[in-house]
Amino acid sequence: MRSTPALRALRRETRVSVEDFIHPIFVVKDRAAAGPIAAMPSIVRLRLEELDREIETISSLGIKSVLLFGIPTRKDALASAAVAEDGIVSQAIRRIRKQARDLVLITDVCMCSYTDHGHCGIVRGEIIDNDQTIECLAKMAVSHGKAGADLVAPSAMMDGQVAAIRGALDAAGLTDTGILSYAVKYASAFYGPFREAADSKPAFGDRRSYQMDSANAREALSEARIDLDEGADMIMVKPALPYLDVIRRVRDAFPYAPLAAYQVSGEYSMIKAAAANGWLNERDVALESLTAIKRAGADVLITYFAKDAARWLAG
Ligand code: PBG
């Protein structure tokens, strides 16, 4: 059954397709903040005006979903720019929606790129105030929903954030705005390059008081169940490749739940760096990784390789 390509295709159990991809996009307000991200080759922080071309490329490759991250001009302790009615992400949504009516627009809902201290929530002393934070997250989600987001994706790992967001969306009449919950998100060193992209490195401490301990897998089932009970429409495991066992466990425990996996910045940059040195074949390693993540049980792949992988898959 392995002797020819055609036989191997018959035997193949997992197929990665462009329809599986969600492409992350970083949007900035300031010209000065726009441009390449050193730790993430080929990934760029885009100004609003630069979105049009990017969306055209993404759409022409057949990618059907994007995940938007906003980086505001001004950061402060209360993440004011995150809860503003017409913040950078809402402006991006309105602009993209005019151009690409059917593109699935998903927004990251978290405070970390909006706070001056870089934590994912409102801080009291050096403690994150969970309940004050979820109110902010709910306001932020409503502003994205009003602008036309299809799904909001809370990633702050605060307790009760999905319920708070669902309640606020419904109260605002946004009953059709869905929630992709970063339900199982580990405190991971693999987010290193992203923190350069979002300028969100914590000024003190780390994220271990809210993100999960990488040693835990059973806890993932609890996190997933809570978020599904609170009204998540899709859940996520993040990072992806170092946590294939977790993806598999969540998939088996919740066979009915749409499941995404996030191949994070560090996973991307490791492959890029090795490829740039001629040590690994970028295309083959990236496609093998994405196939492994899907084989482990993910339905949907959030990946910085989305554009390249779409080209590779098209042959
Ligand atoms: C926001 C957020 C992070 C990532 C996605 N949403 C950073 C973090 O939690 O520190 C990481 C994505 C990546 O590394 O590609 N909280």
Side-chain angles (χ1 to χ4, degrees):
M1 288 300 289
R2 294 180 196 140
S3 54
T4 67
L7 278 167
R8 289 194 292 275
L10 282 181
R11 185 66 183 83
R12 188 156 300 134
E13 299 171 26
T14 307
R15 285 191 170 77
V16 171
S17 130
V18 66
E19 309 215 322
D20 302 331
F21 296 154
I22 298 178
H23 182 49
I25 295 181
F26 299 103
V27 200
V28 295
K29 189 83 199 174
D30 276 359
R31 185 179 291 271
I37 300 154
M40 299 177 72
S42 309
I43 307 296
V44 196
R45 309 206 291 187
L46 298 169
R47 283 182 294 126
L48 286 168
E49 308 81 71
E50 294 170 316
L51 279 174
D52 305 359
R53 254 188 68 193
E54 177 73 356
I55 296 299
E56 199 180 300
T57 307
I58 286 171
S59 301
S60 71
L61 289 168
I63 296 167
K64 296 191 163 50
S65 318
V66 296
L67 173 59
L68 297 169
F69 292 93
I71 297 115
T73 309
R74 229 169 298 120
K75 305 187 185 224
D76 60 29
L78 295 175
S80 317
V83 296
E85 269 291 317
D86 199 29
I88 177 73
V89 169
S90 298
Q91 290 176 37
I93 294 168
R94 293 201 170 92
R95 185 164 186 127
I96 296 171
R97 187 58 84 205
K98 274 193 211 136
Q99 188 185 347
R101 250 193 52 221
D102 299 326
L103 193 66
V104 177
L105 301 182
I106 310 172
T107 62
D108 189 81
V109 174
C110 186
M111 311 272 101
C112 66
S113 67
Y114 298 86
T115 50
D116 49 11
H117 47 67
H119 275 289
C120 300
I122 308 298
V123 165
R124 220 178 337 104
E126 295 213 344
I127 304 223
I128 315 295
D129 186 328
N130 187 93
D131 294 3
Q132 205 188 334
T133 301
I134 63 177
E135 277 179 38
C136 293
L137 294 170
K139 272 193 207 145
M140 187 177 183
V142 168
S143 72
H144 296 172
K146 277 189 186 155
D150 295 289
L151 300 172
V152 292
S155 68
M157 288 301 279
M158 296 296 130
D159 289 345
Q161 63 182 11
V162 173
I165 288 172
R166 184 70 269 156
L169 289 171
D170 291 348
L174 296 163
T175 50
D176 288 341
T177 308
I179 300 176
L180 162 56
S181 166
Y182 286 71
V184 181
K185 178 173 175 180
Y186 287 92
S188 171
F190 286 94
Y191 308 152
F194 173 95
R195 296 194 183 154
E196 179 196 328
D199 185 20
S200 61
K201 195 171 173 295
F204 59 87
D206 53 38
R207 304 210 200 290
R208 289 169 198 275
S209 70
Y210 41 103
Q211 298 180 346
M212 283 176 62
D213 185 337
S214 59
N216 296 355
R218 277 178 286 131
E219 189 185 2
L221 304 184
S222 159
E223 289 287 353
R225 202 207 66 217
I226 291 167
D227 283 14
L228 288 166
D229 286 350
E230 288 185 16
D233 299 284
M234 185 186 289
I235 53 175
M236 186 201 301
V237 173
K238 177 187 170 197
L241 203 65
Y243 296 85
L244 293 183
D245 59 320
V246 176
I247 295 173
R248 168 51 56 197
R249 287 212 209 187
V250 172
R251 160 49 67 235
D252 288 346
F254 306 98
Y256 53 86
L259 179 60
Y262 198 144
Q263 182 188 47
V264 300
S265 56
E267 296 178 68
Y268 172 81
S269 298
M270 285 197 302
I271 296 173
K272 281 290 198 186
N277 278 292
W279 297 338
L280 286 178
N281 178 305
E282 179 179 344
R283 174 189 184 280
D284 293 351
V285 172
L287 289 178
E288 183 177 332
S289 301
L290 292 169
T291 304
I293 296 163
K294 200 167 174 198
R295 189 196 62 232
D299 304 303
V300 170
L301 306 166
I302 305 172
T303 174
Y304 301 99
F305 282 113
K307 283 189 289 183
D308 285 331
R311 290 189 192 102
W312 295 328
L313 291 171

